[in-house]
Amino acid sequence: MRTAFGAEFAGAPGYLDSPTVGLPPAFVAGAVAAHLDAWRRGAVYAPDFDRDVEAARAGYASLVGVAPEAVAIGGSVSALLGLIAASVPDGVRVATVAGEFTSVTFPFAAQAGRGVTVTELAPGELEQRAGEFDVVAVSLVQSASGRMLDVATLRANAGSAVTVIDVTQTLGWCAVDLSWAAVTVGGAYKWLLAPRGMAWMSVRADLLEGITPHNANWYAGQDPWATVYGLPLRLAPSAKRLDTSPSWASAIGAGAALPWLAALDRSAVHRHTVGLAATVRRELDLPPAESAIVSIPVAGAADRLRTAGIRAAVRAGAVRVGFHLYNTEDDVDRLLEALR
């Protein structure tokens, strides 16, 4: 058991695969386990889960820099972005970066029958040319390489383009302020240390009325437990109108993890995670970057790390590692020794 930032983590030594699946703190795993035990004993009371849902919603809002009323919940990033893609007018021009994760691009590409086009631009070119398009859909941190979006340049050049920013590989380790973005979206089970099955999307107020809630359901009501039967349609006036009914076990884990992450010293977390990654880049003569994700194009690296008991992933032809709260210099040393 390893202690980091006041929490205990099992399985952390040698675990460098947070960009795929993050490790839960013991108190998060304990909360989910307690739910499973209560379910087994018939002691579950459904309305109680609303507290966890709202705690997680507030935690996500704090991490991106918006009000909780601007945040909707869903089951996955692509499902939430599908609502945005379905809401854009016919013929809209969407820009993304070449090699972007498909949960960001596929929802827009699926609108091709309405004349919606998606153009892939090179890193750097996207930020420079953003204002030439109607929508920019891109990850703040690229999944395979860890490349950071040039936010300052994007904001300076975006003009009237609707900015859709995926923060799945960002929140939890990176101190950010995305209050300026039209839409942000992120999943729970990587750097946010919660179970798979929850995602969040913030929507700027002026865009909300133009989004049809195609997944309209009882949980999207302002008072869900009072609007479970009959018409007329009675949806919440806030982004909650886009909610889908949550996975209970996932909501409990997220309700514990996100408020805790939001309360940490984010600058300290950023320094810790990026600092470990910077050491790896320096020792392997890789270009510097302000990211906790490192892509290692070393021949045979995957086999070497597996032999050394180091958990990592292979993405875009290179080994990908990520450094989170629970990683230490021992993990860096172990990684470098395996690669040498």
Side-chain angles (χ1 to χ4, degrees):
M1 189 73 73
R2 179 179 284 175
T3 300
F5 288 84
E8 293 184 330
F9 296 87
Y15 190 87
L16 301 178
D17 202 17
S18 296
T20 303
V21 180
L23 298 180
F27 69 87
V28 172
V32 175
H35 159 68
L36 295 177
D37 182 62
W39 176 31
R40 179 182 61 81
R41 293 184 289 103
V44 168
Y45 182 58
D48 285 347
F49 297 107
D50 292 349
R51 291 193 297 268
D52 301 292
V53 170
E54 296 310 317
R57 192 195 310 269
Y60 179 87
S62 176
L63 286 166
V64 296
V66 301
E69 293 75 22
V71 176
I73 69 165
S76 68
V77 164
S78 57
L80 287 168
L81 285 185
L83 296 175
I84 303 300
S87 75
V88 302
D90 294 356
V92 153
R93 301 159 302 160
V94 181
T96 189
V97 72
E100 179 57 84
F101 195 72
T102 52
S103 287
V104 177
T105 54
F106 275 15
F108 293 96
Q111 304 296 318
R114 300 195 292 114
V116 174
T117 59
V118 182
T119 300
E120 293 183 296
L121 300 176
E125 184 184 9
L126 173 74
E127 292 92 330
Q128 292 287 346
R129 296 182 55 193
E132 301 175 22
F133 297 85
D134 305 301
V135 177
V136 175
V138 65
S139 295
L140 186 55
V141 174
Q142 208 278 337
S143 173
S145 68
R147 176 188 176 271
M148 292 284 295
L149 186 71
D150 185 345
V151 170
T153 301
L154 175 64
R155 291 187 67 181
N157 295 320
S160 61
V162 174
T163 48
V164 180
I165 311 295
D166 183 345
V167 296
T168 300
Q169 294 290 0
T170 310
L171 292 194
W173 68 263
C174 185
V176 299
D177 176 10
L178 291 173
S179 56
W180 56 273
V183 175
T184 74
V185 63
Y189 66 100
K190 299 178 185 289
W191 302 90
L192 292 178
L193 311 180
R196 184 177 173 88
M198 289 287 289
W200 300 267
M201 179 172 71
S202 69
V203 180
R204 201 171 62 203
D206 62 297
L207 298 178
L208 187 58
E209 285 302 317
I211 302 172
T212 300
H214 292 288
N215 298 321
N217 65 98
W218 71 278
Y219 203 79
Q222 179 62 28
D223 183 8
W225 297 100
T227 55
V228 293
Y229 299 110
L231 292 172
L233 185 67
R234 305 183 297 282
L235 298 180
S238 66
K240 181 175 169 54
R241 67 191 290 111
L242 306 178
D243 281 6
T244 52
S245 183
S247 161
W248 287 342
S250 300
I252 285 178
L258 270 70
W260 177 71
L261 286 167
L264 295 178
D265 182 336
R266 297 177 205 177
S267 295
V269 170
H270 192 114
R271 288 193 303 271
H272 172 76
T273 55
V274 173
L276 294 174
T279 300
V280 172
R281 289 191 175 90
R282 184 173 61 252
E283 292 296 322
L284 297 179
D285 294 323
L286 299 174
E290 191 72 12
S291 177
I293 297 175
V294 184
S295 179
I296 305 175
V298 174
D303 291 336
R304 295 190 216 174
L305 297 188
R306 192 178 303 111
T307 299
I310 295 173
R311 179 75 176 268
V314 176
R315 296 290 185 273
V319 166
R320 181 190 68 183
V321 298
F323 294 92
H324 207 355
L325 306 173
Y326 38 73
N327 293 120
T328 68
E329 292 181 359
D330 287 342
D331 296 319
V332 171
D333 293 340
R334 187 172 171 182
L335 171 68
L336 296 174
E337 181 62 28
L339 293 178
R340 292 190 183 107

